[in-house]
Each structure stands twice: as C-alpha cells, then as structure tokens.
Amino acid sequence: MEVLLYLYIGLIGLCLGSFFNVVGLRLPKGNLWTRSRSYCPSCERTLKARDLYPVFSYIFLRGACRTCRAPISPLYPSVELMTATLFVFAYWQFGLTGEWVVSLILISLLMIVVVTDLRYMLIPDKLLLFFAPFLLVFRLFIAPFEFWWQPLLGSAVGFSLLLLIAIISKGGMGGGDIKLFAVLGLTLGWEKVLLTFMFACLIGALMGGILLLLKKVKRKQPIPFGPFIVAGALISYFYGMDLIHWYRAISGF
Ligand SMILES: [Zn+2]
C-alpha cells in the first residue's frame, strides 16, 4: 500500500507543479485570475485539456505546440517533474509529520521562484508575502525548532547577509533575493540559511562557468540567481544538519 501512497503523492506533485508553472508565469504580470484558460503564446490558441497533462502532454506533443509547432519550453515539464520528485522525497524523509507539511510549502514556494526568476528575472513580493505567514505559523506551532525565536533569528541572519552582499557588490543581488532569504531563514534557521548561501554561490559559479564554456551566455550577461538559491536551499534543508555535524566532527569546531 505504501507504493500506492508514493504514487499518489507523485501524481499530486505533477498536478501542483503544473499549477506552479501557471502561477509563476502569470503572477508577475498581475493577471493570475483574469484569463482563466492557458494559451499558446505563439499562435494564441487556447489549450485544450489534452494539451495540459503534466509531463505526458509535453512528451506526446514532442515539446511543440499542437497547432503552430512553436517549441514549448522544457522548463514546464521540468518544474512538474521536480515538484513530484521533491514531494515524494520529502515524504520518504519525514513521513506524515508537521515537518513534511513545512517541506511541501517550502518546495511549492521554491518551484514558483524557479519559474518567475527564469522567465522574468524577478521574485514577486506577492509570492513571498503569500507564503511567509504559512511558513512562520507552521515553524512556530506545528514543526517548531527548539526555541521559539530561532525562526526569527534565521530570518534576520538571511536578510542581513544578503543585504550586506547587495551593498558590497553594488546591486549584484536583487531585492527579491534578499527578501527570499528572509523567508528561507525563518524556515531553515540561521545555520542552514548560511549554508544555503554558500551552496547557491558554489552552484552558481559552477553553472556560470559551464554556461560560459558552452557559450550559452556571454561574459557579464546577468544570470538569474534564483534557481541557484533554490538548489542551495533544498540541499541545505534536507542535508544541512548532516553536513554541519560532519564539519564539526572533522574540524573540532
Ligand atoms: Zn501555437
């Protein structure tokens, strides 16, 4: 029966991932609820239900619009697959606990951030303001840290670290990144939010180098930092404490 449960969680992840794509595409334009049906941005044909199955439609249509054959961005099936995988992985990690719910809220926020940052190079305030209260309430009452003030400390640490970097780098860090770190801090705590930043920079430098080598980007071309923050936050959230304990053991710190 456990297998069925995993399958069910995966399916819900696929469908929600599909919804997160829509939210990520529409929220920055402010028309989340105005035009209810999805349409092809190239030929503007309204998509039918059979075009909208997460991942499966993309594979079946071989990554192109049914009518005009304009390519569909692989970002959409990727977000759907990532959401499903992370939902299942989080259940495998936490089981039916408060922490699992926190992880689902966090994953949802992060998946939408991937879409808005890759599409528009921004992380909307509305998005953070929507998720922050849920994360705070769950962190305080459902899956609390040892002390009640830890989420607040984490938030302050995340916010001030990024603000400092933004000031030093003279705008190398966007306002959205700073506010995202405030929200990450309250969910992860101060140690893991510092780790998140470290991982985000590492992965960003690595990916930036690879993209330069492959000539996918030009030197000095700004690359959205959001997806690297998302990757860093997920690694830190799921494996941060193991890494911190391991580091303390080998360094004696
Ligand atoms: Zn089309």
Side-chain angles (χ1 to χ4, degrees):
M1 284 324 277
E2 194 78 335
V3 177
L4 272 181
L5 188 59
Y6 278 109
L7 212 64
Y8 183 64
I9 294 168
L11 276 177
I12 290 182
L14 279 183
C15 298
L16 279 177
S18 183
F19 175 64
F20 298 157
N21 279 322
V22 176
V23 174
L25 276 178
R26 294 183 182 187
L27 192 61
K29 290 175 151 182
N31 59 353
L32 188 51
W33 310 111
T34 46
R35 183 165 174 175
S36 55
R37 302 289 300 274
S38 294
Y39 59 96
C40 167
S42 177
C43 66
E44 301 204 330
R45 190 184 66 98
T46 304
L47 299 182
K48 297 209 167 65
R50 60 184 175 165
D51 300 324
L52 294 169
Y53 291 110
V55 182
F56 300 105
S57 289
Y58 183 84
I59 295 170
F60 181 72
L61 294 168
R62 271 168 282 140
C65 169
R66 188 188 294 277
T67 326
C68 71
R69 301 307 296 165
I72 305 168
S73 168
L75 173 66
Y76 308 125
S78 308
V79 165
E80 289 157 358
L81 268 181
M82 275 192 298
T83 308
T85 311
L86 288 166
F87 273 25
V88 169
F89 179 74
Y91 178 73
W92 178 67
Q93 284 274 306
F94 301 124
L96 280 176
T97 58
E99 192 59 47
W100 184 48
V101 183
V102 171
S103 71
L104 295 185
I105 303 173
L106 178 68
I107 292 164
S108 305
L109 167 64
L110 294 178
M111 291 301 105
I112 301 172
V113 165
V114 168
V115 180
T116 63
D117 209 33
L118 281 180
R119 272 283 157 231
Y120 306 106
M121 294 241 335
L122 62 86
I123 300 166
D125 285 343
K126 278 181 281 188
L127 181 65
L128 297 173
L129 283 172
F130 177 81
F131 276 94
F134 288 104
L135 287 166
L136 181 62
V137 166
F138 271 81
R139 204 26 115 209
L140 286 176
F141 302 109
I142 314 288
F145 288 140
E146 196 176 351
F147 303 106
W148 66 268
W149 44 264
Q150 280 170 309
L152 306 180
L153 175 66
S155 187
V157 167
F159 183 81
S160 16
L161 171 70
L162 269 272
L163 187 64
L164 190 72
I165 305 274
I167 293 168
I168 294 171
S169 68
K170 296 196 175 85
M173 210 59 74
D177 298 329
I178 303 174
K179 286 172 259 180
L180 174 60
F181 261 84
V183 178
L184 286 176
L186 75 85
T187 319
L188 303 179
W190 72 271
E191 289 166 305
K192 287 188 183 178
V193 84
L194 289 180
L195 263 187
T196 297
F197 182 71
M198 220 184 67
F199 281 127
C201 292
L202 268 175
I203 300 167
L206 205 72
M207 288 301 290
I210 292 174
L211 289 174
L212 262 179
L213 278 177
L214 296 175
K215 299 201 167 34
K216 293 275 184 199
V217 293
K218 292 191 188 74
R219 205 166 282 276
K220 301 233 163 137
Q221 179 185 345
I223 309 174
F225 195 50
F228 306 128
I229 301 176
V230 168
L234 289 169
I235 298 173
S236 175
Y237 176 68
F238 285 111
Y239 292 109
M241 273 306 141
D242 297 341
L243 289 165
I244 290 167
H245 290 147
W246 170 78
Y247 179 75
R248 280 185 180 155
I250 59 159
S251 68
F253 170 62

mmCIF file of all heavy atoms in Angstrom, residues 40-45 65-70, ligand 1:
data_model
loop_
_atom_site.group_PDB
_atom_site.id
_atom_site.type_symbol
_atom_site.label_atom_id
_atom_site.label_comp_id
_atom_site.label_asym_id
_atom_site.label_seq_id
_atom_site.Cartn_x
_atom_site.Cartn_y
_atom_site.Cartn_z
ATOM 1 N N CYS A 40 -1.373 29.146 -26.145
ATOM 2 C CA CYS A 40 -0.033 29.130 -26.739
ATOM 3 C C CYS A 40 0.407 30.573 -26.956
ATOM 4 O O CYS A 40 -0.283 31.326 -27.628
ATOM 5 C CB CYS A 40 -0.063 28.368 -28.064
ATOM 6 S SG CYS A 40 1.435 28.619 -29.052
ATOM 7 N N PRO A 41 1.567 30.971 -26.397
ATOM 8 C CA PRO A 41 1.995 32.365 -26.537
ATOM 9 C C PRO A 41 2.352 32.704 -27.993
ATOM 10 O O PRO A 41 2.408 33.869 -28.362
ATOM 11 C CB PRO A 41 3.234 32.459 -25.638
ATOM 12 C CG PRO A 41 3.679 31.070 -25.431
ATOM 13 C CD PRO A 41 2.476 30.185 -25.580
ATOM 14 N N SER A 42 2.557 31.687 -28.822
ATOM 15 C CA SER A 42 2.960 31.939 -30.210
ATOM 16 C C SER A 42 1.742 32.127 -31.134
ATOM 17 O O SER A 42 1.621 33.126 -31.818
ATOM 18 C CB SER A 42 3.833 30.784 -30.688
ATOM 19 O OG SER A 42 4.174 30.950 -32.027
ATOM 20 N N CYS A 43 0.815 31.152 -31.149
ATOM 21 C CA CYS A 43 -0.345 31.274 -32.046
ATOM 22 C C CYS A 43 -1.602 31.652 -31.275
ATOM 23 O O CYS A 43 -2.665 31.828 -31.879
ATOM 24 C CB CYS A 43 -0.576 29.967 -32.815
ATOM 25 S SG CYS A 43 -1.061 28.580 -31.771
ATOM 26 N N GLU A 44 -1.498 31.791 -29.953
ATOM 27 C CA GLU A 44 -2.589 32.246 -29.080
ATOM 28 C C GLU A 44 -3.808 31.338 -29.078
ATOM 29 O O GLU A 44 -4.892 31.732 -28.655
ATOM 30 C CB GLU A 44 -2.997 33.692 -29.434
ATOM 31 C CG GLU A 44 -1.825 34.650 -29.279
ATOM 32 C CD GLU A 44 -2.243 36.085 -29.036
ATOM 33 O OE1 GLU A 44 -3.326 36.464 -29.530
ATOM 34 O OE2 GLU A 44 -1.505 36.807 -28.345
ATOM 35 N N ARG A 45 -3.631 30.102 -29.552
ATOM 36 C CA ARG A 45 -4.741 29.164 -29.485
ATOM 37 C C ARG A 45 -4.931 28.717 -28.031
ATOM 38 O O ARG A 45 -3.968 28.418 -27.338
ATOM 39 C CB ARG A 45 -4.436 27.937 -30.342
ATOM 40 C CG ARG A 45 -5.605 26.994 -30.537
ATOM 41 C CD ARG A 45 -5.150 25.773 -31.321
ATOM 42 N NE ARG A 45 -4.185 24.989 -30.548
ATOM 43 C CZ ARG A 45 -4.516 23.906 -29.840
ATOM 44 N NH1 ARG A 45 -5.764 23.485 -29.817
ATOM 45 N NH2 ARG A 45 -3.595 23.246 -29.173
ATOM 46 N N CYS A 65 3.964 23.122 -29.831
ATOM 47 C CA CYS A 65 2.525 23.418 -29.865
ATOM 48 C C CYS A 65 1.832 22.545 -30.915
ATOM 49 O O CYS A 65 2.348 22.354 -32.012
ATOM 50 C CB CYS A 65 2.307 24.899 -30.183
ATOM 51 S SG CYS A 65 0.589 25.308 -30.552
ATOM 52 N N ARG A 66 0.655 22.029 -30.572
ATOM 53 C CA ARG A 66 -0.088 21.141 -31.461
ATOM 54 C C ARG A 66 -0.417 21.823 -32.796
ATOM 55 O O ARG A 66 -0.368 21.192 -33.854
ATOM 56 C CB ARG A 66 -1.388 20.722 -30.763
ATOM 57 C CG ARG A 66 -2.184 19.645 -31.487
ATOM 58 C CD ARG A 66 -3.538 19.467 -30.817
ATOM 59 N NE ARG A 66 -3.419 18.941 -29.454
ATOM 60 C CZ ARG A 66 -3.282 17.647 -29.160
ATOM 61 N NH1 ARG A 66 -3.258 16.763 -30.129
ATOM 62 N NH2 ARG A 66 -3.186 17.259 -27.920
ATOM 63 N N THR A 67 -0.724 23.114 -32.749
ATOM 64 C CA THR A 67 -1.166 23.827 -33.951
ATOM 65 C C THR A 67 -0.005 24.438 -34.741
ATOM 66 O O THR A 67 0.149 24.173 -35.930
ATOM 67 C CB THR A 67 -2.150 24.959 -33.578
ATOM 68 O OG1 THR A 67 -2.914 24.541 -32.468
ATOM 69 C CG2 THR A 67 -3.060 25.291 -34.730
ATOM 70 N N CYS A 68 0.806 25.269 -34.050
ATOM 71 C CA CYS A 68 1.817 26.030 -34.801
ATOM 72 C C CYS A 68 3.208 25.427 -34.678
ATOM 73 O O CYS A 68 4.146 25.906 -35.301
ATOM 74 C CB CYS A 68 1.822 27.495 -34.362
ATOM 75 S SG CYS A 68 2.494 27.724 -32.693
ATOM 76 N N ARG A 69 3.367 24.383 -33.913
ATOM 77 C CA ARG A 69 4.640 23.676 -33.700
ATOM 78 C C ARG A 69 5.715 24.556 -33.076
ATOM 79 O O ARG A 69 6.912 24.227 -33.140
ATOM 80 C CB ARG A 69 5.182 23.055 -35.021
ATOM 81 C CG ARG A 69 4.264 22.047 -35.696
ATOM 82 C CD ARG A 69 3.804 20.931 -34.810
ATOM 83 N NE ARG A 69 4.862 20.035 -34.324
ATOM 84 C CZ ARG A 69 4.703 19.180 -33.328
ATOM 85 N NH1 ARG A 69 3.550 19.116 -32.683
ATOM 86 N NH2 ARG A 69 5.685 18.419 -32.940
ATOM 87 N N ALA A 70 5.332 25.697 -32.505
ATOM 88 C CA ALA A 70 6.309 26.511 -31.777
ATOM 89 C C ALA A 70 6.788 25.698 -30.585
ATOM 90 O O ALA A 70 5.983 25.026 -29.927
ATOM 91 C CB ALA A 70 5.676 27.810 -31.306
HETATM 92 ZN ZN ZN B 1 0.876 27.567 -31.030
#
